Amino acid sequence: MTDLSVNFAGVTFKTPVVMASGTFGFGREYAEYFDLSKLGGIAVKGLTLKERLGNPPPRIAETPMGILNSVGLQNPGVDAFITRELPYLKQFDTNIIANISGNTVDEYAEMAEKLSEAGVDMIEVNISCPNVKAGGIAFGTSCDGAAAVTRAVKDRAKVPVMVKLSPNVTDIVSIARAAQNAGADALSLINTLLGMRINIETHRPVLANKTGGLSGPAVFPVALRMVYEVAAAVPLPILGMGGISTGEDAVEMLLAGADMVAVGTAIFNDPLAPIAITAGIKAYLSRKNITSVTELTGRVIRS
Ligand SMILES: Cc1cc2nc3c(=O)[nH]c(=O)nc-3n(C[C@H](O)[C@H](O)[C@H](O)COP(=O)(O)O)c2cc1C
């Protein structure tokens, strides 16, 4: 028997495949395609304390091998999530990860307390969203900022806390260390890479917000390198993501040092991508006679 389960920061995930925040909404649209209980977990759309309408359109631009987005954290706010979306998600046998963004350290802490009392399994602290003017990014690009948010969230959260790192920094390892020293239970990486496209007829940026975050297969080698560097330096469990679209990509990410993987943009091409990726990991393990997925984690670092 191949064992796909992972104990990640004290939480048991039945498979190592999680949906990446912001690409899966609150799951409702995808429940028509497959049983959400087949997922290891769902990181829900990024939540803020109050409702946000997000950035003006156009908010998505295509690029070769990926997309640029500047959605700007459109969401109904944390209270509406707790009353309207969480009960729906709770029907499924999967872990719910609440992804949070705040304008201030106190906002992050308040949301973490509310959400853990409401029964989410884990908090993912987004200190890395490139598409909002204030907040997120300011914390994610400095060690002091990352540490302050992590500490405040850890003080009030009653479930494990995972800190989501930005690739838009010169040294991701130092930010990872700052989060670790401030008490993070786990890390997730990477968020999107800042990018831009220009319409050559109108001479205007394609996105109304001018710049946006690049995701999808184009970012995979960058994500892999960053997971590898962080895993080699910081002993926390890692949720690795960025451009994963096949079972083989997921295996590479695990070998680089991730304990679990998240799938984001791939779902826009194929709503069944997470199911195929899970099956791909399983097939790889049986082909290699490896009994537990946890044995793959970090093999590249140890070899
Ligand atoms: C449309 C869109 C919205 C996103 N919204 C969020 C968000 O709200 N919070 C967050 O932490 N990451 C957000 N992300 C980043 C993804 O969770 C993920 O880190 C990134 O897309 C890389 O993975 P991928 O290439 O598999 O999509 C978003 C990505 C996309 C494409």
Side-chain angles (χ1 to χ4, degrees), residues 20-22 45-46 69 73 99 126 164 190-191 215-216 241-243 264-265:
S21 172
K45 174 66 196 157
N69 92 83
L73 293 177
N99 178 284
N126 181 9
K164 184 160 178 180
I190 60 172
N191 209 315
S215 60
M241 74 194 88
T265 304

Side-chain angles (χ1 to χ4, degrees), residues 220-286:
F220 180 66
V222 178
L224 197 69
R225 185 266 295 176
M226 289 187 156
V227 165
Y228 171 72
E229 284 179 351
V230 170
V234 180
L236 292 179
I238 293 178
L239 173 61
M241 74 194 88
I244 293 173
S245 44
T246 64
E248 288 79 8
D249 294 342
V251 168
E252 269 191 69
M253 193 57 99
L254 295 165
L255 290 171
D259 298 80
M260 297 202 299
V261 296
V263 176
T265 304
I267 196 131
F268 299 146
N269 260 341
D270 174 12
L272 296 177
I275 304 302
I277 290 167
T278 310
I281 299 171
K282 199 167 180 189
Y284 174 85
L285 292 173
S286 20

Side-chain angles (χ1 to χ4, degrees), residues 188-207:
S188 55
L189 61 146
I190 60 172
N191 209 315
T192 53
L193 276 154
L194 257 187
M196 183 178 192
R197 297 225 67 182
I198 292 170
N199 180 324
I200 61 167
E201 299 306 323
T202 61
H203 301 181
R204 297 285 312 142
V206 171
L207 295 171

Side-chain angles (χ1 to χ4, degrees), residues 28 77-88 118:
R28 289 181 190 269
V78 75
D79 292 333
F81 168 76
I82 290 170
T83 51
R84 293 206 304 258
E85 307 296 342
L86 189 56
Y88 170 76

Side-chain angles (χ1 to χ4, degrees), residues 10 12 34 48 63 80 83 89 116 127 132 158 187 214 242 245 253 300-301:
T12 302
F34 65 89
T48 49
T63 74
T83 51
L89 285 165
S116 39
I127 54 168
V132 284
K158 296 171 179 72
L187 300 171
L214 181 65
S245 44
M253 193 57 99
V300 161
I301 299 167

